[in-house]
Amino acid sequence: MTILDPATTASVGTTRPPRDTSSRQNRWQDVCGLDALTVERGAAALVDGRAVALFRLDDDEVLAVDDVDPFWGVPVLSRGLVGCIGGRDTVASPLLKQRFDLRTGDCLDDPAVTVAVWPVQVQQGRVAVAPPPSLAGP
Amino acid sequence: MRQLVVAGHGMVGHRLVEELVEAGGLEGPDGWEVTVVGEESRPAYDRVALSSAFAGAGEDQLTLVSDGFFDTPGLRLLVNEAVAAVDPEARTATTTSGRVLAYDHLVLATGSRPFVPPLPGKDLPGVFTYRTLDDVEAITAWCAGRRTGVVLGGGLLGLEAANALRLLGLEVHVIEMAPRLMPVQLDDGGAAALRTRIEALGVHVHVGASSQAILAGPDGTVSGLLLADGTELAADVVVVSAGIRPRDDVARGCGIDLHERGGILVDEACRTSDPAISAIGECAVAAGRVWGLVAPGYKMAAAVADRLTGGDATFEGADLSTKLKLLGIDVASVGESHGPGAILDDPGSATYKKIRVDEEGRLVGAVLVGDASSFGDLVQLHRSGVVVEDVLSLLAGTAAPAATGPSALVCSCNSVTTGDLVSAIEADGICDLATLKACTKAGTGCGGCVPTLKGVLERQLAAQGVAVRRGLCEHFPDRSRQDLYDICRIGRVRTFADLLASHGQGKRGCEICKPTVASILASLGGGYVLDGEQAALQDTNDFALANLQRNGTYSVVPRMPGGEVTPRQLMACAEVAEDYDLYVKVTGGQRLDLFGAKLDDLPAIWARLGQAGLESGHAYGKALRTVKSCVGINWCRYGVQDSTEMAKLLELRYRGLRSPHKVKMAVSGCARECAEAQSKDVGVIATEAGWNLYVGGNGGFRPRHADLLAEGLSDAELVRSVDRFLQYYVRTGERLERTAAWIERIDDGIDHVRRVVVDDSLGLGAELEAQMAAHVEGYECEWAATLRQPERLARFQTYVNEGAPT
Ligand SMILES: Cc1cc2nc3c(=O)[nH]c(=O)nc-3n(C[C@H](O)[C@H](O)[C@H](O)COP(=O)(O)OP(=O)(O)OC[C@H]3O[C@@H](n4cnc5c(N)ncnc54)[C@H](O)[C@@H]3O)c2cc1C
Ligand code: SF4
């Protein structure tokens, strides 16, 4: 496994050139087959040098957020447990168990912290993701 | 403002100040300005719990002074300074540093000092008394590397000291002049049962023995003790615990009345012959005697605080009923314990019980040794004066529990009744144990009443309609782990989805209930822990069969039963460590931990370890970790049994057993306890008479000494007891509740566990054993099982899209 240097990870958002939002649908990147994902668990994928955590829920919906745990700067969120807290689909970091909303990226245990959410498409049994809008710049 | 000077900042002196503050005694123009003078180097601490300092409890844990207490305006504490003289005419107290303190009222709370008989050699280096934290520090430092100790005095404090020396690794002799141990509290029968139990722990007891001299060695330090009959005992340390004497020196100097045998005479208001001076605690002779326990001292403090704020409270004596745990043995006396009574004396189990009733059938006194579970009931009976209908069933422990009306005393250290608790719960809306303890002080003395306290709280909350939330999480809001275990076991539920649908609410579950249920299903024989739905339930560590570290890598821990490892296995560890660049550390559990493994490399690493015959150490699971052991009889001069073999047997038997939390064990080859078994969930100590089994010990951030569960066991009895104990814990423990917390939580604690495990009171024995047999039968190394089926390896991939088209 590659350990991403937290400093590098943190700088990705700022060094990337601003993107034209209108072309975003072209930036879908195929990642893996749906059947490569275990139901109700996460898995990590490397997209453009950035680790993404993919979660396949029990109804085969797939959600994705940055894999890096913002509290530790280490890409491990994909290895956390999936849950449903107060109606929100969540993952709990395997390090210190802070929970993140998989749809909004908000941390349930610390309002100041969020993770980036990646749009996901599942078509014909293939899973594709696009870089989060937050990376697309203003 | 009026000036109050308190001489002595011990347990009772501090309580006085607290009571005074609480009663508003500092307020108003007529309020008190308080100066407390304490001779010790630190503020007041819990002397009753002093022995826990040997087990590492520090000043922080023992202190009685809450944070910022002495910042209260009007309070001043001087430590390391004693009151040297008092001038009753001028109403001043002069301290050892020359300070002159004027007072309107003076309270003497100077406690007592250990009595040291005038034996030759009593001042030699290596001779100690046992009363203060400084004493504990000095004894601990001296004992390092030393081998034998003698305790002079077989009373309560002497036996505590003996236990401390034993825990410090010394072979211990206790010398008591009276013909029996604890002559004040116990009768002959009780003392005999206590002696049997203490000797089984490896402590040598000499009763009816008087000492002649403490002997010096060539280096001028203690070398032994000479008894009057000419016997010489070798000793590297002597602790003198031959009774206490009231500290009445200051009082003596200023001419107030003393008792002829020492102690400051006071009236029912705790006033001395000078009405401007009171005396409380162990320095006082109140209601005709010195009270050597903390509870009566607290009552005196309350009375004086009341008087100082205009009240007219009195101290008229106190109940001397006591329940103690000495060397892990329950000892209790109620009322007047000396004299004839109905006796249950079972030398086999070394339990003794005597119950004394008067002609009308009212309880006069009782002695309990070995099992004090009926103490609370007996104190109630004694206090209420209710006529005992059937002494024999009371003796046999089959009588109905005593009445529990509002006047029933729950905490005898702090005189808190059921009524007090109920009104605190109602008035202050208290709904947890910690707050209840803080508000009422109940359970903060010897702690013996905590289970009762908890019961009162739960009953009261239930009566108020407050649901006692034992629920696990929002998906199982009213089911505890134990409930879920029972549902799965009895209802044969075998999947999380079924359980959530039938007994839970909401969808998906969460990081709390999923692993909990995964553990329950595994304990009930769920098979390979990562098949099917179980894969989604396991915590990261169980999912990767390795321990996640802070940088996202894993650590790998192969099992090494008994700490034994072959050269070939050691080489396999060395080779994988070198090839995969792993950091290697020898753990406290006597095995190797290899850190820094990448998720992708785990299968290859384990394939190589497996070839060398190593298997999963389950360091990643809430399961048995290791069974630590010493070398025992094979190598050690002191060993009496083969501790290493027993450790291997236990580790191989219980490996892989999923439980509410991790389980650690240890086996020591003799009472010197080199394997530190008493700090483990399950600790085994060899004696000449068989294995002694301890349970519920803990290290970590809240250390706890294990309780003795059974003693003198054969190999087969030991295994059977541990089988039952572990399965009962797996059944009834809460999520992430170590055995220590579990025993403290359940009603009647270790006594209950003993009844279930040893006496089979619930009739569960055979079932628990069968469950364990099934576990042993079904065990397979999880890594071997994983490597056997290639499709199980897919998850050991950092990225799902590696090699995928992008
Ligand atoms: C090891 C041990 C275990 C015990 N276990 C139990 C138990 O299980 N149950 C129970 O009820 N009781 C127990 N006790 C007894 C209990 O600790 C005492 O009853 C209680 O501490 C008495 O409180 P006190 O304030 O009167 O005296 P202390 O707590 O001794 O305090 C007196 C303080 O005054 C100081 N002092 C003395 N003279 C002066 C002076 N001239 N100027 C200033 N300061 C002075 C002393 O240094 C001391 O700090 C135990 C005692 C010991 C030592
Ligand atoms: S037998 Fe074990 S516990 Fe006893 S002294 Fe030897 S090494 Fe220590």
Side-chain angles (χ1 to χ4, degrees), chain B residues 34-77:
Chain B
V34 185
T35 305
V36 185
V37 186
E39 170 203 62
E40 287 186 66
S41 54
R42 40 173 78 79
Y45 53 86
D46 188 353
R47 206 178 299 287
V48 170
L50 193 60
S51 62
S52 63
F54 285 108
E59 204 175 325
D60 294 353
Q61 279 119 304
L62 290 177
T63 186
L64 294 175
V65 183
S66 47
D67 266 353
F69 180 77
F70 279 99
D71 298 338
T72 314
L75 290 188
R76 176 158 70 136
L77 171 66

Side-chain angles (χ1 to χ4, degrees), chain A residues 41 44 46 79 82 84 86 89, chain B residues 475 508 514 535 540 554 800-801:
Chain A
R41 272 221 95 94
L46 196 62
R79 300 182 217 167
V82 180
C84 178
D89 296 307
Chain B
H475 303 97
R508 186 154 299 135
K514 280 174 153 183
T540 315
Y554 289 87
V800 273
N801 62 340

Side-chain angles (χ1 to χ4, degrees), chain B residues 631-650:
Chain B
V631 290
I633 199 165
N634 290 331
W635 298 90
C636 175
R637 285 175 296 142
Y638 300 106
V640 291
Q641 294 211 51
D642 194 338
S643 42
T644 307
E645 265 322 298
M646 181 49 77
K648 281 159 62 182
L649 187 154
L650 295 176

Side-chain angles (χ1 to χ4, degrees), chain B residues 8-13 37-40 47-48 50 81-83 109-111 130-131 157 160 247 250 281-282 292-294 324:
Chain B
H9 195 225
M11 298 190 74
V12 174
V37 186
E39 170 203 62
E40 287 186 66
R47 206 178 299 287
V48 170
L50 193 60
E81 191 164 338
V83 169
T110 47
Y130 173 42
R131 183 156 184 98
L157 299 186
E160 269 212 15
R247 295 194 61 175
V250 174
E282 285 189 349
L293 292 173
V294 75
L324 308 158

Side-chain angles (χ1 to χ4, degrees), chain B residues 507-789:
Chain B
K507 53 173 191 166
R508 186 154 299 135
C510 64
E511 74 283 355
I512 296 182
C513 55
K514 280 174 153 183
T516 305
V517 174
S519 158
I520 292 173
L521 297 176
S523 325
L524 290 172
Y528 182 67
V529 294
L530 294 175
D531 270 351
E533 180 211 39
Q534 288 195 58
L537 304 179
Q538 303 292 356
D539 255 329
T540 315
N541 287 355
D542 287 281
F543 192 66
L545 302 172
N547 287 40
L548 182 67
Q549 302 299 327
R550 60 187 300 145
N551 65 357
T553 65
Y554 289 87
S555 80
V556 169
V557 186
R559 192 170 289 294
M560 293 180 179
E564 289 182 349
V565 57
T566 65
R568 161 118 183 66
Q569 292 170 339
L570 212 45
M571 275 190 293
C573 291
E575 282 162 14
V576 297
E578 203 158 67
D579 293 353
Y580 295 92
D581 197 16
L582 307 179
Y583 164 78
V584 186
K585 185 159 170 50
V586 179
T587 72
Q590 303 183 328
R591 53 188 186 175
L592 298 179
D593 205 336
L594 315 176
F595 289 86
K598 296 171 184 151
L599 184 64
D600 311 61
D601 293 336
L602 290 172
I605 290 173
W606 271 106
R608 287 167 64 175
L609 295 176
Q611 270 168 15
L614 289 163
E615 56 171 32
S616 165
H618 287 99
Y620 48 80
K622 305 289 179 241
L624 172 70
R625 297 288 166 84
T626 72
V627 185
K628 186 174 173 177
S629 58
C630 69
V631 290
I633 199 165
N634 290 331
W635 298 90
C636 175
R637 285 175 296 142
Y638 300 106
V640 291
Q641 294 211 51
D642 194 338
S643 42
T644 307
E645 265 322 298
M646 181 49 77
K648 281 159 62 182
L649 187 154
L650 295 176
E651 182 154 349
L652 294 175
R653 185 167 180 83
Y654 303 119
R655 63 187 164 180
L657 179 73
R658 290 297 203 280
S659 45
H661 209 319
K662 62 188 167 192
V663 172
K664 297 183 175 183
M665 304 194 188
V667 184
S668 282
C670 80
R672 281 177 177 68
E673 248 284 67
C674 297
E676 298 165 326
Q678 288 170 100
S679 64
K680 303 290 189 244
D681 297 280
V682 174
V684 178
I685 301 178
T687 71
E688 305 272 3
W691 303 102
N692 287 357
L693 172 59
Y694 291 81
V695 294
N698 207 356
F701 84 112
R702 213 187 133 219
R704 178 180 193 271
H705 268 289
D707 296 314
L708 182 65
L709 182 69
E711 52 197 342
L713 303 174
S714 67
D715 288 8
E717 287 167 340
L718 175 67
V719 167
R720 196 181 61 176
S721 306
V722 180
D723 278 5
R724 290 180 178 185
F725 172 79
L726 287 177
Q727 286 291 355
Y728 191 55
Y729 164 59
V730 168
R731 263 188 195 204
T732 59
E734 284 306 332
R735 165 183 177 264
L736 298 188
E737 183 175 52
R738 291 286 295 271
T739 58
W742 172 66
I743 288 178
E744 284 178 7
R745 170 179 60 85
I746 55 184
D747 284 346
D748 245 8
I750 186 67
D751 295 325
H752 170 79
V753 174
R754 187 178 298 112
R755 285 195 292 273
V756 173
V757 171
V758 181
D759 312 330
D760 198 8
S761 61
L762 298 181
L764 282 177
E767 195 181 323
L768 297 174
E769 286 166 43
Q771 245 181 318
M772 191 60 90
H775 163 77
V776 174
E777 179 79 5
Y779 170 81
E780 184 185 10
C781 167
E782 282 158 5
W783 267 107
T786 304
L787 292 167
R788 210 157 20 81
Q789 295 193 19

